[in-house]
Every structure is written in C-alpha cells, then in structure tokens.
Amino acid sequence: MDIGIVTGWGICLTFVIGIILLTLWSIHQYRVQRAVYRHLLTLKEQQPDIIFSEQSVNRFAIDIINGSSTRKTRGIITLSSHEIGVYPVKFPPQAVITFSPADIRGFWRPQSYASGMNELWIHVERKREWVLVKLWLGREQMMEFIRTLKPMVEPEMVIAYRRQRPYIHYGPLLAQPAEQDIHGAWTLEPTISLYLMPRYLLILHDDAVQQMIPLEAVQQIGALRRLDAPQANGLVRFQTAEAHYAFALKDYEAFANALADAAKRTLEAPVMQKQKGKDGEWDDAD
C-alpha cells in the first residue's frame, strides 16, 4: 500500500479520535457542572443562610496535624454565618469537614493573588485536634470568600493575615521536653510533637494539642549542643513570661531559626493597604 495513503489514513484516524475524546471530555464537564449545580441547590435548601457559594468546582485538601490527610479533591466550599463546610461532589451532600468561625486559629494565602486557582490555608482547632484546611478557589472567588470571612473572626487573625509573606510553617517534628539539673545533665521526657505556624507554637501528643504558645510571648530563643551528651540531639531553649522551655530534637538549629523568625514576624506591623506588585497587579492585602 502506498505510504502516502497510509499516512493520510493515520492523520484522519488521529483527528477522529481527537474529536471523540474532546466530545467525551465536554460531556463529562457538562455533567460535572450539572452535578455541582444540583449539589449546591441541595446545600442551600439545607442551609438557607449560606452567604458564600459558587456554581463551579473548586479544590480542597484536609491535613490533620499528626493524623490523616486527604488528597487534593474537587469540591464545593460554603460559608454561612455559623459554619464553613467543605463538600466533595457526590450525592447525597455530605461534608468532609464543617467548622465554625470560632474554631479558626488563623488563615493565610501562601502566594499573592494570581489568575487561575488561588490557595488558602485555614488553621482549625476542634476538640484539641489541629486541622489544616487547604482551599483552592478562583481569584474573584477567593477575594469574595476572604472579604466575607474577615468580619467573622477575631481582629488579631486579620492582622496576622495582613503581615508580609512568607508565612512560616514548620513541622510537625518529634521532640522531647528536657530539664537540666544543677550539675548540667539533661533529663528527657517522653516524645511529643512540635508544630510551628504563624501565630502559635503547638505542643502535641499524638493528634491532640497539649499546649498553644503564642509566638509574640516567645523570647530568648537559643540552640545548643548537650555538653553531657555531645552526640545526642541538640536542644532548643526559649522562655515566656510564665515559663522556661527546652526541647531535644534532631534539627534543632533549623527549628530554632524558624521559631525566632516566626516570633519576630508577630511584632511587625501588618500591610494595611493594597500595594502594587512588580507585575503591575494589585496584591490585595485584605
């Protein structure tokens, strides 16, 4: 058979297959959008006071610090006066997580506003469990969501949100509380976890928060090797007005630097106005 004929048939077949795949993709997208629309109508019937929702598919991921995590998944995010809900696109509507604005301990956008999907991290405390809720919404959706959320949370969270990036998150890291006797020897207690976020240093046992230390109260941060056991994990020491703390951990110097940087940032004045970025776009400080 002539090579030209074979080539021509191959091109035609490729074109036909491409048209079929594009058609199937379009049908799938239409069905997804219809499912989202029906899903949203059902949610609004269940929660008439919803003040934020979108007829489009967004993304979410849920990370329980020291616990389970979900993959980045398609879903719907709703916001009412008393509840934030995250729902996968399935029937009947069933939330992956719901929480009230009073459960929020901070929220931050890791990057400036951009076209396409924008990411938001919301820290939530529920029954001593610390949950990081990650949302991806379109630019306009994200701006609307944050404008709606801000009046519902404590003013201190809005101030923290407005501080300059990068927002420091570190851990969770395994560590052991340490106490020094009068002879300079250190005694280590059972292992816990340390998780550093822009407002607090968390001390966790398994997936439960034992203590939240406000970063603006942290002073006199130091990293040192143990003279009584030079090959053992190093120590991070700091103090607040109420107590002195010491923890033994593997990456002690890196953690001490991150803690010092995060604590310093809590004392910085927030960006209170919109500032024009290098790309000519207005980076919304809201």
Side-chain angles (χ1 to χ4, degrees):
M1 184 179 292
D2 186 86
I3 294 179
I5 295 176
V6 173
T7 303
W9 275 107
I11 293 173
C12 290
L13 182 59
T14 301
F15 179 76
V16 170
I17 292 174
I19 292 296
I20 293 173
L21 292 176
L22 181 60
T23 301
L24 292 175
W25 181 84
S26 300
I27 293 172
H28 172 72
Q29 289 297 107
Y30 173 77
R31 288 177 174 174
V32 168
Q33 289 301 119
R34 292 296 299 171
V36 170
Y37 179 71
R38 293 194 302 270
H39 196 55
L40 190 55
L41 288 179
T42 305
L43 291 176
K44 287 184 175 180
E45 290 175 358
Q46 295 174 348
Q47 302 179 52
D49 64 338
I50 287 178
I51 53 181
F52 173 89
S53 59
E54 286 289 337
Q55 296 180 21
S56 58
V57 178
N58 301 299
R59 305 289 187 275
F60 70 87
I62 312 295
D63 293 336
I64 299 174
I65 304 305
N66 277 2
S68 61
S69 300
T70 68
R71 296 180 179 179
K72 188 176 180 180
T73 307
R74 291 187 171 199
I76 295 174
I77 295 91
T78 63
L79 173 61
S80 70
S81 58
H82 67 280
E83 183 179 274
I84 297 169
V86 180
Y87 299 81
V89 181
K90 65 179 184 179
F91 290 91
Q94 185 173 359
V96 173
I97 185 172
T98 61
F99 53 94
S100 73
D103 296 328
I104 296 175
R105 299 295 176 261
F107 60 98
W108 291 273
R109 287 184 298 110
Q111 304 295 330
S112 300
Y113 281 119
S115 59
M117 287 289 180
N118 287 257
E119 187 174 356
L120 175 67
W121 290 18
I122 304 177
H123 289 263
V124 179
E125 184 187 13
R126 302 191 313 167
K127 298 179 180 179
R128 307 306 294 172
E129 181 182 73
W130 200 271
V131 185
L132 182 55
V133 180
K134 298 180 181 179
L135 306 179
W136 288 266
L137 295 87
R139 177 174 179 147
E140 296 303 322
Q141 291 174 285
M142 182 66 77
M143 294 178 72
E144 179 186 352
F145 182 88
I146 290 176
R147 280 195 297 264
T148 306
L149 177 64
K150 286 192 303 182
M152 299 182 179
V153 300
E154 297 176 357
E156 291 77 11
M157 294 188 204
V158 179
I159 292 173
Y161 167 75
R162 285 175 165 159
R163 289 198 173 98
Q164 293 184 358
R165 297 177 183 86
Y167 305 120
I168 294 176
H169 293 80
Y170 202 103
L173 299 174
L174 295 179
Q176 292 179 273
E179 291 189 6
Q180 190 176 29
D181 62 25
I182 59 174
H183 304 291
W186 290 91
T187 301
L188 303 184
E189 299 178 8
T191 300
I192 49 85
S193 293
L194 299 177
Y195 180 63
L196 178 62
M197 49 86 74
R199 294 187 68 209
Y200 299 103
L201 173 63
L202 307 181
I203 302 174
L204 302 101
H205 182 264
D206 295 330
D207 58 356
V209 177
Q210 287 188 332
Q211 189 175 358
M212 297 167 54
I213 303 175
L215 291 185
E216 63 268 18
V218 174
Q219 302 175 4
Q220 303 296 319
I221 302 166
L224 64 153
R225 285 192 175 278
R226 291 176 55 182
L227 296 179
D228 63 328
Q231 303 304 315
N233 289 340
L235 296 163
V236 174
R237 296 195 299 184
F238 61 90
Q239 66 183 53
T240 66
E242 292 77 23
H244 290 74
Y245 298 86
F247 297 94
L249 64 161
K250 182 178 179 180
D251 299 322
Y252 68 101
E253 292 179 313
F255 182 76
N257 290 334
L259 178 61
D261 194 6
K264 180 181 68 176
R265 287 171 181 270
T266 64
L267 306 178
E268 295 176 351
V271 179
M272 300 304 291
Q273 298 177 352
K274 295 181 180 180
Q275 294 186 344
K276 196 171 185 180
K278 295 180 180 180
D279 58 359
E281 293 291 333
W282 290 94
D283 178 21
D284 188 0
D286 290 345

